[in-house]
């Protein structure tokens, strides 16, 4: 079954620790995206990558980092520099000329 | 620049009643428009999309939306609500050839009363 897998579904970390969220897709999509969701604010773009070994900042990239070493994988690291990291994180992918994004099931990160 | 405004953060309807969720957008280029649905603690599922062509778009689960350029609107409707329609709905806009780089509205939570 083709799709996007995010893991883990729930993640707890202590303040000041870096944490990496996993996102894997087997849709053969070139482009991948990370969104952050907060109640009442919709989704906001953190980072995106249109091809392997290349990525661009989205609207709220501060305190986050990504890598794109493989087409299938686009991990997101939430660093200690992110002031308010507790949120629901969604990964998505689309084909290079695609007109729609496909989303994973999300990771809920809680920092205590 | 592109933006999306969803009118009403919460909408409540009775089962069997018409569902109308409002979305207005702004875009300096011809937009691609989307409606997504999200159930609690889940990802987003595409309901329908407008890219080019016919302005009345039919989606899954009996939903449809009409692109009205003159009103810069893309409202989502369903003739008869079902209990299973209770969820959060997001309107989104993107540019041509950037279908994954989305600008989202704030979301509308739909409640369906028996």
């Amino acid at each position: 079954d083709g799709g996007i897998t995010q893991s883990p579904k729930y993640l707890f970390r202590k303040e000041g620790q870096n944490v990496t969220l996993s996102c894997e897709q087997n849709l053969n999509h070139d482009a991948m995206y990370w969104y952050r969701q907060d109640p009442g604010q919709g989704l906001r773009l953190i980072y995106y990558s249109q091809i392997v070994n290349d990525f661009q900042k989205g609207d709220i990239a501060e305190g986050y980092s990504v890598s794109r070493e493989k087409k299938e994988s686009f991990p997101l690291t939430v660093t200690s520099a992110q002031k308010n990291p507790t949120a629901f994180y969604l990964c998505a992918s689309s084909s290079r000329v695609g007109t729609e994004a496909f989303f994973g099931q999300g990771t809920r990160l809680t920092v205590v | 620049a592109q933006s999306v405004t969803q009118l009403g953060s919460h909408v409540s309807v009775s089962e069997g009643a018409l569902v109308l969720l409002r979305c207005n957008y702004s875009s300096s280029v011809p937009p691609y428009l989307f409606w997504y649905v999200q159930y609690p603690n889940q990802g987003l599922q595409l309901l329908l999309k407008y890219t080019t062509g016919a302005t009345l778009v039919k989606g899954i689960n009996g939903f449809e939306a009409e692109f009205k350029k003159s009103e810069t609107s893309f409202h989502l409707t369903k003739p008869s609500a079902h209990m299973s329609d209770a969820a959060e709905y997001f309107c989104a806009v993107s540019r041509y050839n950037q279908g994954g780089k989305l600008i989202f509205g704030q979301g509308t939570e739909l409640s369906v009363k028996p």
Side-chain angles (χ1 to χ4, degrees), chain A residues 80-96:
Chain A
S80 57
Q82 169 50 234
K83 298 302 180 190
N84 186 19
T86 294
F88 192 50
Y89 291 87
L90 287 155
C91 180
S93 71
S94 68
S95 63
R96 184 189 290 268

Side-chain angles (χ1 to χ4, degrees), chain B residues 17-36:
Chain B
L18 171 72
V19 175
L20 171 61
L21 304 183
R22 300 178 187 273
C23 173
N24 287 89
Y25 71 92
S26 67
S27 179
S28 56
V29 297
Y32 284 0
L33 294 159
F34 306 84
W35 275 100
Y36 283 89

Side-chain angles (χ1 to χ4, degrees), chain B residues 4-100:
Chain B
V4 174
T5 301
Q6 291 183 238
L7 300 177
S9 58
H10 292 91
V11 170
S12 182
V13 301
S14 297
E15 192 172 20
L18 171 72
V19 175
L20 171 61
L21 304 183
R22 300 178 187 273
C23 173
N24 287 89
Y25 71 92
S26 67
S27 179
S28 56
V29 297
Y32 284 0
L33 294 159
F34 306 84
W35 275 100
Y36 283 89
V37 62
Q38 184 181 37
Y39 298 98
N41 289 312
Q42 299 288 322
L44 274 65
Q45 180 183 9
L46 182 68
L47 277 178
L48 48 79
K49 64 180 180 182
Y50 169 79
T51 54
T52 58
T55 57
L56 181 61
V57 180
K58 294 187 184 298
I60 63 172
N61 301 339
F63 285 93
E64 63 181 37
E66 186 171 9
F67 171 59
K68 292 187 175 180
K69 185 177 179 180
S70 61
E71 298 177 9
T72 61
S73 69
F74 191 57
H75 302 330
L76 181 71
T77 61
K78 182 174 180 178
S80 177
H82 191 273
M83 296 296 291
S84 61
D85 294 327
E88 188 150 24
Y89 293 80
F90 291 95
C91 182
V93 64
S94 75
R95 291 171 172 262
Y96 167 76
N97 210 25
Q98 295 186 15

Side-chain angles (χ1 to χ4, degrees), chain A residues 8-23:
Chain A
K9 190 166 178 66
Y10 299 94
L11 191 54
F12 295 87
R13 280 293 182 271
K14 290 184 178 179
E15 194 172 333
Q17 291 182 333
N18 292 355
V19 60
T20 297
L21 282 60
S22 170
C23 178

